[in-house]
């Protein structure tokens, strides 16, 4: 057998590549030590490019973009290890996004590091934390120049990779294309107040709920926005989400008290709800399922539960949990396969196993109840009504670190290298002479924080946010302090 180099003579190179493609990186390293011929095969760029794609590194790249994919994979894995270490040790840069003066924070949303916020003054601002350019532009409505200072309060804001959406208290909905400019590309008016807004994660579908109507908006082939579908529901909508990966025929999921709707744009005549005995308290959707918490009706009944509904099968597939408190938040879209994380008013964060319909892990997290939660393959970030943000390593059942602010946590969004949190006030205050003082007002306005854990490319910005101003800037970043010697990045 040693005298017959079958990979050199009898087996073509293409077939050898097909055999080696079933090996992982450790096996390829062992095969590279067998012989020179095997080393050439084991280091083929096609094999290492495939490994990079399978592990999720540089998914948008082609094989011709780099000359050595083995080295690229090593660099990506080293960066991944560095980011995970920084997450665990809370090592990185943090910044408080600048607030609109004389206004309280109403709603916050983010997508891939781009943050949108709406205020009681009617202002809508957008930050791109990926570039650490915190000079946030204002998104103007069409009548902002005609009626300065008379803008209605913002109820909801949503953002994705290309669109920004804001709903006002007077029933108007503004849609901006972030690639075009700060003026809306479409403005839609409802006759009543908007109760819920949803924006597709990727694509250009917007859904709104006002009174007993749910409207789905979508641009046509010429780029003009139009009503793609309109539905009539029986009760006021509490929660509204758009199902991912259904851009050809958009599908929305809505809950109205004890009613659950699956609204399909290609079948607008079908609005038959699924009826529950208990009101729905929270909602999240994935491409194939919808998860929502249902409220308990008293001690004589069962406790609160989370129901998982199969969108394709159109039936229940799981019934999870049995808690005394109400479920306030659930995260299905970002959770690992077959897992789901939820937050409850009983102070606990729970991980549910969809395969066994059992609770895989439960731990006490927040004293006043959990208000926001998200998880990935190794960590959970949770927010509480008391204003605490906690990061957990759920494999070790251990809290890594926490940070506190004054107001309840209403928004949490993270990826491998960044974290966005928003503390939104319980109630909006009317401006008065007592709140004219800056330090007094900042206790009521709300807070948006951006954490960046990729310190290898932000080492030059490791100074505090107040020390990041240029020489021509006299006002500091926080608390209106003036810098005698502003930070010089050069």
């Amino acid at each position: 057998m040693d005298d017959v180099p079958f990979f050199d003579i009898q087996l073509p190179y293409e077939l050898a590549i097909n055999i080696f493609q079933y090996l992982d990186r450790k096996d390829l390293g062992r095969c590279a030590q067998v012989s020179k011929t095997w080393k050439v095969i084991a280091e083929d760029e096609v094999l290492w490019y495939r490994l990079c794609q399978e592990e999720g590194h540089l998914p948008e790249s082609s094989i011709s973009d780099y000359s050595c994919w083995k080295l690229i994979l090593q660099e990506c894995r080293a960066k991944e290890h560095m980011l995970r270490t920084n997450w665990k040790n809370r090592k990185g840069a943090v910044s408080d996004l600048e607030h609109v003066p004389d206004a309280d924070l109403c709603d916050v949303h983010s997508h891939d590091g781009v943050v949108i916020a709406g205020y009681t003054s009617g202002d809508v601002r957008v930050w791109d934390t990926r570039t650490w350019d915190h000079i946030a532009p204002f998104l103007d409505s069409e009548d902002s120049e005609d009626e300065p200072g008379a803008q209605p309060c913002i109820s909801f804001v949503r953002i994705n990779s290309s669109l920004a959406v804001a709903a006002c208290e007077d029933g108007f909905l503004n849609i901006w294309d972030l690639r075009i400019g700060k003026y809306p590309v479409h403005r839609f008016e409802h006759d009543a107040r908007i109760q819920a807004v949803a924006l597709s994660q990727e694509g250009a579908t917007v859904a709104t709920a006002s009174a007993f109507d749910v409207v789905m908006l979508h641009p046509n082939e010429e780029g003009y926005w139009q009503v793609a579908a309109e539905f009539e529901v029986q009760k006021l909508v509490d929660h509204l989400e758009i199902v991912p990966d259904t851009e050809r025929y958009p599908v929305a999921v809505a809950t109205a008290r004890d009613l659950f709707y699956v609204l399909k744009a290609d079948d607008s005549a079908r609005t038959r709800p699924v009826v529950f005995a208990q009101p729905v308290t929270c909602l999240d959707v994935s491409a194939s399922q919808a998860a929502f918490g249902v409220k308990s009706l008293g001690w004589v009944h069962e406790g609160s539960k989370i129901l998982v509904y199969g969108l394709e099968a159109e039936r229940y597939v799981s019934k999870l949990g049995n808690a005394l408190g109400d479920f306030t938040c659930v995260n299905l879209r970002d959770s690992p396969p077959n897992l789901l994380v939820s937050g409850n008013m009983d102070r606990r964060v729970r991980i549910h196993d969809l395969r066994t319909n059992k609770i895989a892990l439960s731990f006490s997290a927040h004293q006043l109840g959990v208000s926001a939660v998200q998880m990935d393959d190794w960590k959970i970030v949770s927010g509480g009504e008391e204003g605490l943000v906690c990061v957990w390593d759920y494999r070790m059942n251990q809290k890594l670190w926490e940070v506190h602010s004054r107001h309840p946590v209403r928004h949490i969004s993270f990826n491998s290298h960044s974290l966005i949190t928003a503390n939104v006030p319980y109630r909006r205050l009317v401006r008065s002479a007592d709140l004219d003082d800056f330090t007094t007002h900042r206790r009521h306005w709300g807070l948006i924080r951006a954490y960046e854990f990729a310190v290898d490319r932000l080492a030059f910005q490791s100074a505090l946010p107040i020390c990041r101003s240029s020489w021509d800037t006299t006002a500091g970043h926080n608390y209106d302090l003036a810098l005698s010697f502003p930070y010089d990045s050069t």
Side-chain angles (χ1 to χ4, degrees):
M1 180 62 69
D2 295 335
D3 297 333
V4 183
F6 55 92
F7 266 29
D8 291 340
I9 300 176
Q10 297 183 358
L11 194 66
Y13 186 84
E14 291 78 10
L15 293 181
I17 290 293
N18 288 334
I19 294 175
F20 274 54
Q21 71 176 347
Y22 296 101
L23 305 178
D24 57 18
R25 60 181 182 275
K26 291 184 178 179
D27 293 333
L28 287 177
R30 296 188 180 103
C31 291
Q33 304 177 43
V34 174
S35 65
K36 292 182 179 179
T37 304
W38 282 39
K39 178 178 175 62
V40 173
I41 300 174
E43 294 185 353
D44 191 279
E45 295 299 320
V46 175
L47 300 176
W48 292 98
Y49 171 75
R50 179 187 60 83
L51 288 176
C52 280
Q53 297 297 303
E54 289 181 352
E55 296 188 14
H57 304 304
L58 305 176
E60 303 297 330
S61 301
S62 62
I63 192 172
S64 59
D65 291 342
Y66 299 96
S67 59
C68 183
W69 280 98
K70 181 178 180 180
L71 181 60
I72 294 298
L73 180 60
Q74 293 176 348
E75 294 176 353
C76 290
R77 289 182 59 83
K79 182 179 179 180
E80 186 180 59
H81 176 73
M82 180 268 296
L83 289 174
R84 182 168 298 195
T85 302
N86 291 350
W87 265 98
K88 293 181 178 180
N89 298 325
R90 195 184 171 188
K91 181 180 180 182
V94 57
S95 181
D96 295 346
L97 302 188
E98 184 181 357
H99 189 80
V100 175
D102 299 328
D104 294 335
L105 188 62
C106 295
D107 193 25
V108 177
H109 193 249
S110 63
H111 175 79
D112 194 25
V114 182
V115 185
I116 184 172
Y119 296 89
T120 53
S121 61
D123 293 313
V124 179
R125 302 191 74 172
V126 174
W127 294 266
D128 190 350
T129 63
R130 298 170 299 184
T131 61
W132 282 86
D133 183 9
H134 295 155
I135 303 176
F138 287 88
L139 299 181
D140 294 335
S141 60
E142 292 180 350
D143 56 352
S144 60
E145 297 181 358
D146 300 334
E147 301 178 6
Q151 296 300 308
C153 178
I154 300 298
S155 301
F156 303 98
V157 291
R158 296 292 184 268
I159 197 169
N160 63 13
S161 58
S162 59
L163 297 177
V165 178
C168 304
E169 289 285 352
D170 58 357
F172 277 93
L173 180 77
N174 291 316
I175 303 175
W176 294 271
D177 191 330
L178 299 177
R179 299 165 296 185
I180 295 178
K182 65 177 183 177
Y183 295 101
V185 296
H186 185 68
R187 184 174 172 87
F188 187 81
E189 182 180 5
H190 284 279
D191 296 332
R193 181 181 180 273
I194 299 175
Q195 277 99 28
V197 174
L199 175 64
S200 56
Q201 193 170 9
E202 297 291 342
T205 301
V206 180
T208 63
S210 176
F212 300 100
D213 295 324
V214 176
V215 178
M216 298 180 69
L217 304 172
H218 190 81
N220 57 19
E221 296 180 355
E222 289 77 19
Y224 295 100
W225 284 80
Q226 60 184 8
V227 177
E230 188 171 359
F231 308 89
E232 184 177 354
V233 295
Q234 301 176 12
K235 298 181 180 181
L236 297 180
V237 173
D238 300 313
H239 304 91
L240 182 64
E241 295 287 345
I242 294 179
V243 179
D245 303 328
T246 57
E247 285 304 316
R248 184 177 180 183
Y249 300 107
V251 178
V253 173
T255 64
R257 294 294 294 170
D258 55 350
L259 303 179
F260 173 78
Y261 293 89
V262 178
L263 307 174
K264 300 181 179 180
D266 59 337
D267 190 9
S268 59
R270 181 185 178 186
T271 58
R272 186 176 70 253
V274 180
V275 183
F276 307 106
Q278 306 102 320
V280 177
T281 57
C282 57
L283 171 69
D284 193 26
V285 296
S286 65
S288 59
Q289 296 176 329
F292 45 92
V294 290
K295 189 174 183 178
S296 173
L297 292 181
W299 65 271
V300 296
H301 299 274
E302 292 183 345
S304 300
K305 294 182 179 296
I306 291 180
L307 301 181
V308 180
Y309 186 87
L311 299 176
E312 297 179 358
E314 297 186 353
R315 62 180 179 86
Y316 301 120
V317 295
S318 298
K319 182 184 289 187
L320 309 172
N322 190 8
L324 296 178
D326 297 336
F327 286 98
T328 56
C329 51
V330 60
N331 182 235
L332 174 65
R333 185 176 314 186
D334 305 309
S335 299
N338 301 315
L339 293 179
L340 178 149
V341 63
S342 65
N344 197 289
M345 284 302 296
D346 64 359
R347 310 176 184 180
R348 304 193 72 84
V349 172
R350 295 174 173 87
I351 300 178
H352 307 267
D353 192 334
L354 301 180
R355 295 164 295 187
T356 62
N357 295 342
K358 295 182 179 180
I359 297 176
L361 181 64
S362 175
F363 52 87
S364 181
H366 300 275
Q367 295 181 355
L368 300 182
V370 185
S371 57
V373 68
Q374 184 182 343
M375 72 178 297
D376 61 7
D377 59 341
W378 68 275
K379 65 179 177 294
I380 294 175
V381 180
S382 64
E385 292 288 340
E386 78 282 358
L388 196 67
V389 175
C390 301
V391 178
W392 312 78
D393 187 340
Y394 64 83
R395 301 171 305 172
M396 304 295 294
N397 194 14
Q398 178 184 7
K399 181 190 291 187
L400 300 177
W401 50 272
E402 64 183 32
V403 61
H404 183 266
S405 184
R406 182 181 183 89
H407 304 291
V409 181
R410 297 301 183 204
H411 175 74
I412 285 176
S413 178
F414 69 83
N415 52 28
S416 61
H417 59 81
S418 66
L419 168 65
I420 306 296
T421 64
N423 299 77
V424 181
Y426 273 116
R427 57 183 181 178
R428 303 157 188 169
L429 299 179
V430 179
R431 299 297 99 201
S432 63
D434 295 337
L435 295 179
D436 289 340
D437 181 68
F438 184 84
T439 57
T440 303
H441 172 62
R442 62 179 292 270
R443 295 201 301 266
H444 303 277
W445 64 26
L447 178 67
I448 307 174
R449 277 185 176 145
Y451 300 81
E452 178 59 59
F453 300 96
V455 294
D456 56 336
R457 59 185 179 88
L458 286 177
F460 67 96
Q461 289 183 334
S462 59
L464 294 175
I466 194 175
C467 299
R468 294 178 189 162
S469 60
S470 59
W471 284 100
D472 56 353
T473 302
T474 58
H477 186 84
N478 293 327
Y479 314 116
D480 276 357
L481 295 179
L483 296 178
S484 301
F485 300 96
Y487 179 70
D488 186 5
S489 59
T490 60

